[in-house]
Amino acid sequence: MQLHTHVPVNPMENPLSYQAKVFSMGSCFAENMGKKLDDHGITTLTNPFGIIFNAISMQRLVERIVHQQAFNEEDVFFHNELWQSYEVHSALSTIDANDYLTTLNAQLNVTRDYLETATHFILTLGTSWVYTYQGNVVANCHKVPNAQFEKRLISATENEQALLKSIELVRQLNPTIQFIFTVSPVRHTKDGFLENHMSKGNLLQAIYNLKQNDNKWYYFPAYEIVIDELRDYRFYAADLIHPNALAIDYIWERFSTEAISSESHPVMKEVVELKRALQHRPQHEHTQAWRKFQQHLSQKIETFQQKYPTICISFVLDNKD
């Protein structure tokens, strides 16, 4: 007897491996998956401009990155004792305008250099609802009063056009990069339940249209897995909106099975075990047992590095003795 819906996941034609270099942009779900990749030792750069929820704001950032359009004084403003930009997340905000612009432009350079040699671009869409300021879609409102903005729903066509433009721009830098699309399973219930479904539907329609025109892009159904397969609330955080750690682990398992090469799986297991051991903290540091543990771990790290000399993973052993 089958008691739950199993969402099929198509295998990726050119899966990730330890030779991959992944760039990930998008919602908070993109952060979760980026952290999983990083935890397993796969080279990843995630959201260098913070969490971005909508396709138009992502396109604007990609345009800046590719064309090296530096941020200047006109692109920032002062609010709540911090310098902000409507194009990036508040996590980058600072109290000094010059420092803020320096940070933003440094991120542009780092990201462009990274994208030039990246192998995969993961793009996670969060919502079709956007806020506009003086006619321009913003990535973040930075707690500016709502009266300053107009709220509207991006159509499936607008989402598709923004995604297609982002793809074209990135391919100017890196023609061989492979795109992976996901839709965040986080429900934006503050917009309303009907409004959330409309929003997600437009995102899914846009991706479907892209794949109909060109089937070489990979779609991973994170949204469908959570909504249809993990529909029990035991898979949600206390807010009953965000997937909890159990759900994220399950989605990661499904992703790694179909989108990461099978040859990489044994290595991933070793990496996780070594990192877990490195995080271990003893009850008593200055003991012979702790020194033996560190010596044994150091030997295991050395063996791993000899076994996989082409895999560049930094294992920092905290040896205070």
Side-chain angles (χ1 to χ4, degrees):
M1 181 181 294
Q2 186 172 336
L3 298 178
H4 74 281
T5 302
H6 182 76
V7 176
V9 179
N10 294 323
M12 193 170 169
E13 286 187 14
N14 298 302
L16 281 68
S17 69
Y18 276 95
Q19 284 69 53
K21 188 176 180 181
V22 182
F23 180 78
S24 181
M25 173 182 278
S27 74
C28 50
F29 182 74
E31 304 255 308
N32 292 328
M33 291 297 101
K35 185 176 185 306
K36 286 290 186 184
L37 288 165
D38 186 65
D39 288 345
H40 288 79
I42 295 175
T43 303
T44 309
L45 177 61
T46 302
N47 279 344
F49 296 95
I51 294 168
I52 307 293
F53 294 101
N54 72 81
I56 291 178
S57 292
M58 293 181 200
Q59 177 206 321
R60 178 63 185 127
L61 277 174
V62 168
E63 191 172 358
R64 275 197 182 276
I65 294 163
V66 173
H67 293 319
Q68 295 180 300
Q69 297 173 348
F71 288 89
N72 57 45
E73 291 82 0
E74 296 178 356
D75 302 313
V76 301
F77 64 97
F78 193 71
H79 178 70
N80 282 345
E81 303 182 78
L82 292 170
W83 285 93
Q84 324 260 18
S85 170
Y86 282 129
E87 295 185 38
V88 304
H89 193 269
S90 56
L92 283 77
S93 301
T94 62
I95 60 174
D96 183 87
N98 290 329
D99 288 347
Y100 188 48
L101 287 172
T102 299
T103 297
L104 292 178
N105 289 322
Q107 288 294 79
L108 281 178
N109 293 331
V110 167
T111 305
R112 192 180 196 279
D113 290 344
Y114 190 94
L115 273 177
E116 284 181 337
T117 55
T119 59
H120 297 79
F121 191 130
I122 302 177
L123 205 154
T124 304
L125 299 168
T127 183
S128 296
W129 285 102
V130 299
Y131 291 86
T132 63
Y133 178 76
Q134 297 181 350
N136 297 315
V137 173
V138 304
N140 196 290
C141 294
H142 302 294
K143 299 182 179 180
V144 173
N146 288 341
Q148 300 289 323
F149 305 95
E150 291 184 5
K151 183 179 179 181
R152 72 178 184 91
L153 184 69
I154 301 175
S155 68
T157 300
E158 288 175 288
N159 275 300
E160 181 184 354
Q161 290 172 345
L163 292 174
L164 190 57
K165 182 63 175 177
S166 293
I167 291 167
E168 291 171 349
L169 285 165
V170 172
R171 284 189 171 153
Q172 291 177 23
L173 276 184
N174 187 339
T176 62
I177 196 168
Q178 184 170 359
F179 287 88
I180 301 171
F181 294 113
T182 64
V183 171
S184 169
V186 177
R187 294 170 297 153
H188 291 229
T189 56
K190 288 183 179 180
D191 294 320
F193 283 87
L194 173 60
E195 289 79 0
N196 172 70
H197 287 301
M198 293 167 61
S199 166
K200 299 292 187 182
N202 284 356
L203 298 178
L204 294 166
Q205 182 69 58
I207 293 171
Y208 179 81
N209 291 347
L210 282 174
K211 285 188 63 64
Q212 291 298 107
N213 294 326
D214 190 339
N215 201 36
K216 60 178 171 288
W217 302 314
Y218 181 71
Y219 176 67
F220 176 73
Y223 175 79
E224 293 84 348
I225 289 171
V226 172
I227 299 302
D228 291 314
E229 191 167 339
L230 306 182
R231 61 177 67 182
D232 192 300
Y233 275 108
R234 66 195 167 107
F235 296 109
Y236 287 83
D239 62 6
L240 303 182
I241 295 173
H242 290 79
N244 63 14
L246 180 61
I248 291 168
D249 286 345
Y250 182 81
I251 296 167
W252 166 253
E253 183 179 309
R254 299 293 303 277
F255 179 81
S256 60
T257 299
E258 303 298 344
I260 299 179
S261 67
S262 56
E263 294 82 7
S264 299
H265 291 175
V267 187
M268 290 163 60
K269 183 178 179 182
E270 289 188 52
V271 170
V272 169
E273 289 175 352
L274 287 173
K275 288 193 172 185
R276 187 180 296 122
L278 284 166
Q279 292 171 358
H280 175 71
R281 291 295 176 264
Q283 188 173 8
H284 303 287
E285 287 188 359
H286 304 288
T287 63
Q288 186 175 356
W290 174 239
R291 283 192 291 271
K292 285 184 177 180
F293 173 84
Q294 288 193 305
Q295 289 170 2
H296 179 63
L297 179 55
S298 179
Q299 290 172 355
K300 290 180 71 174
I301 291 172
E302 185 177 348
T303 300
F304 177 92
Q305 292 171 335
Q306 291 174 350
K307 187 178 179 181
Y308 306 108
T310 61
I311 298 177
C312 299
I313 301 175
S314 177
F315 297 106
V316 180
L317 186 62
D318 185 14
N319 190 348
K320 296 180 181 179
D321 291 338

